[in-house]
Amino acid sequence: MPDLSPGSVRELLDLDRRHVWHPYGPMPGRQEPLVVESASGVRLRMADGSGELVDGMSSWWSAIHGYNHPVLNDAVRDQLERMSHVMFGGLTHEPAVRLAKRLVDISPEGLEHVFLADSGSVSVEVAVKMCLQHWRSLGRPAKQRLLTWRGGYHGDTWQPMSVCDPEGGMHELWQGVLPRQIFVDAPPDGYEESYADQLRSLIERHADELAAVIVEPVVQGAGGMRFHSPAYLRVLREACDAHDVLLVFDEIATGFGRTGTLFAAEHAGVTPDVMCVGKALTGGYMTMAATLCTSRVADGISRGEVPVLAHGPTFMGNPLAAAVACASIDLLLGQDWRTEVKRIEAGLREGLEPALELPGVRDVRVLGAIGVVQLDHEVDMRAATRAAVREGVWLRPFRDLVYTMPPYVTGDADLVRITRAVCAAAREG
Ligand SMILES: *Cc1c(COP(=O)(O)O)cnc(C)c1O
């Protein structure tokens, strides 16, 4: 396909600015987005004829196999010819059932039941509804609050927003509207007994009103790209068991190999009562997420006066998304993905280490296929993006962070380009 003419790129940008909301953006738009014409492998092809950018973002953690992948394309095409969608109320189909079974098989032991949601935020809403309803059904309706640690991110709808980092500005804006949850300090990266004690005592103190503890295991993503000791997850598991509180892991960012294990919970050997997955679930092809729970949670709900989970999105279990999710999981498990993620981890370490010498850089950290350079100041997003694009790489820095989580199929030469671009963005941002 030919590039768009300069005139049509201008027209698109003008219409975009006037009519289209972008993530966390003003209306009309102030920053000019880049127009993508197509994507293949790890490369985005720009519509303005400027060429290609290596994607350092996996489209927000999702495109783990890269773009335009023949196996995933075939899965979508085959399913498209059968049916792109049917309602899930009263009907079912092979892609959804097979996907649910795969998720049960590969997720931590004990997670047995699967709710297919249409986005990560909705899967967190469903997780919260499951937990609150579990206690309500068991005659303990006062258990309706959530506890989490600061620095988290769980999505942009109301319940998820209420457990996001309260320092992000959103909480102040929505004071009095958002449910008031219980926050503990953000977890230190290494294990500290005094912090574990804080977790234990807060859970004990609030046990009567707590439905669940919800956290992102091992890596806090959009709330600040922080890593913490998996040992805290065992502390949470024990304290929750001791005080009748459910434990929810939000693995929407960490799931499907990103941290070096298939799910981050495996770093701690812990099974949560409820687990959310999304982002890489469909290999970045379609929007879909899932909420998994144990039989204990499901049984609790079933014993209530209203013995059903009253949630049912129109596009629940969408066959196209489910089919490509199955194909993406098979593609991942059918290769030596651990070695690939380790290779990327080593490349990120080597390539990002020099950033420590740059003025304005506070920290460099790498875990699995995640590389982070933290600045000592708010990043100049425009300057940092421009620096990365000049190196031929697409990055999307935020707050004080320049970071990358590349597709697992990123080759060594492209990985070098990406780390160079992160360093350039950190230098100029
Ligand atoms: C992205 C993300 C979400 C929200 O998912 P959406 O699909 O954007 O609604 C929730 N939790 C975590 C940890 C995420 O990274």
Side-chain angles (χ1 to χ4, degrees):
M1 214 168 65
D3 293 335
L4 288 170
S5 73
S8 35
V9 170
R10 275 265 43 99
E11 187 202 0
L12 278 184
L13 284 173
D14 185 49
L15 291 172
D16 184 282
R17 201 182 69 82
R18 278 192 286 155
H19 298 298
V20 186
W21 291 107
H22 280 265
Y24 309 99
M27 183 57 66
R30 277 200 296 269
Q31 288 198 356
E32 210 155 76
L34 305 178
V35 184
V36 182
E37 182 205 75
S38 60
S40 196
V42 300
R43 284 178 161 68
L44 310 177
R45 185 174 178 75
M46 313 320 286
D48 60 7
S50 65
E52 297 181 324
L53 296 178
V54 174
D55 179 21
M57 302 302 290
S58 298
S59 282
W60 275 337
W61 315 76
S62 65
I64 53 176
H65 307 296
Y67 303 91
N68 201 15
H69 195 290
V71 172
L72 302 184
N73 286 3
D74 279 348
V76 176
R77 211 177 285 116
D78 288 351
Q79 185 55 44
L80 184 62
E81 282 170 10
R82 280 185 205 115
M83 60 184 165
S84 58
H85 185 66
V86 289
M87 63 187 285
F88 213 46
L91 299 175
T92 195
H93 45 77
E94 184 170 12
V97 177
R98 296 261 177 248
L99 174 59
K101 177 69 166 80
R102 272 180 182 70
L103 289 174
V104 167
D105 287 346
I106 66 175
S107 60
E109 184 80 37
L111 294 165
E112 290 288 332
H113 312 289
V114 182
F115 188 101
L116 295 172
D118 33 18
S119 76
S121 300
V122 170
S123 76
V124 174
E125 295 280 357
V126 169
V128 172
K129 191 184 270 192
M130 281 178 177
C131 294
L132 266 62
Q133 196 174 337
H134 172 86
W135 295 117
R136 190 164 283 252
S137 295
L138 296 179
R140 303 184 67 181
K143 286 169 78 66
Q144 53 171 282
R145 292 183 78 189
L146 303 172
L147 182 148
T148 188
W149 45 42
R150 288 169 184 268
Y153 177 78
H154 298 282
D156 295 334
T157 59
W158 292 102
Q159 287 287 354
M161 211 173 17
S162 77
V163 281
C164 287
D165 186 19
E167 304 298 321
M170 298 297 171
H171 278 254
E172 276 148 54
L173 179 61
W174 294 112
Q175 225 175 42
V177 182
L178 279 184
R180 280 182 49 256
Q181 313 294 13
I182 299 160
F183 289 92
V184 61
D185 293 342
D189 50 2
Y191 185 79
E192 293 173 18
E193 196 59 40
S194 60
Y195 181 75
D197 283 338
Q198 254 191 74
L199 292 175
R200 293 186 189 104
S201 69
L202 214 57
I203 291 170
E204 178 176 10
R205 177 141 40 97
H206 291 279
D208 289 343
E209 54 174 350
L210 270 185
V213 171
I214 177 168
V215 295
E216 293 158 277
V218 184
V219 176
Q220 295 181 294
M225 303 296 296
R226 294 161 47 93
F227 309 151
H228 56 259
S229 164
Y232 293 132
L233 305 174
R234 288 193 288 273
V235 172
L236 289 178
R237 181 70 279 176
E238 281 162 23
C240 285
D241 286 344
H243 299 289
D244 267 356
V245 174
L246 296 172
L247 180 59
V248 182
F249 282 172
D250 178 346
E251 294 243 17
I252 292 169
T254 50
F256 306 102
R258 184 55 70 177
T259 69
T261 54
L262 198 53
F263 296 100
E266 293 169 26
H267 289 286
V270 160
T271 297
D273 301 291
V274 179
M275 183 171 106
C276 298
V277 295
K279 289 202 161 96
L281 173 63
T282 65
Y285 266 57
M286 322 257 314
T287 176
M288 179 175 256
T291 313
L292 285 79
C293 75
T294 60
S295 297
R296 172 189 170 207
V297 174
D299 288 348
I301 291 170
S302 307
R303 261 186 265 148
E305 211 173 302
V306 181
V308 298
L309 183 66
H311 212 100
T314 305
F315 288 98
M316 185 168 178
N318 176 258
L320 280 177
V324 73
C326 287
S328 175
I329 292 170
D330 291 350
L331 192 58
L332 183 67
L333 301 185
Q335 57 176 304
D336 189 2
W337 63 269
R338 277 172 207 277
T339 302
E340 292 307 303
V341 171
K342 278 212 188 83
R343 174 183 63 80
I344 290 174
E345 182 171 33
L348 291 177
R349 268 188 216 292
E350 192 185 327
L352 296 183
E353 205 179 47
L356 267 175
E357 308 298 319
L358 297 173
V361 168
R362 203 171 96 189
D363 188 32
V364 173
R365 45 187 184 265
V366 172
L367 178 69
I370 310 168
V372 184
V373 174
Q374 185 170 15
L375 310 177
D376 62 11
H377 55 276
E378 179 100 5
V379 67
D380 177 340
M381 187 140 91
R382 209 180 279 224
T385 306
R386 213 183 299 127
V389 167
R390 210 182 306 123
E391 299 287 328
V393 174
W394 172 243
L395 297 175
R396 184 74 175 158
F398 73 110
R399 288 208 220 161
D400 55 351
L401 301 161
V402 183
Y403 70 110
T404 177
M405 55 270 166
Y408 305 162
V409 295
T410 307
D412 291 337
D414 285 332
L415 205 53
V416 168
R417 272 184 104 139
I418 290 174
T419 53
R420 274 201 197 126
V422 171
C423 293
R427 195 175 326 113
E428 292 177 41

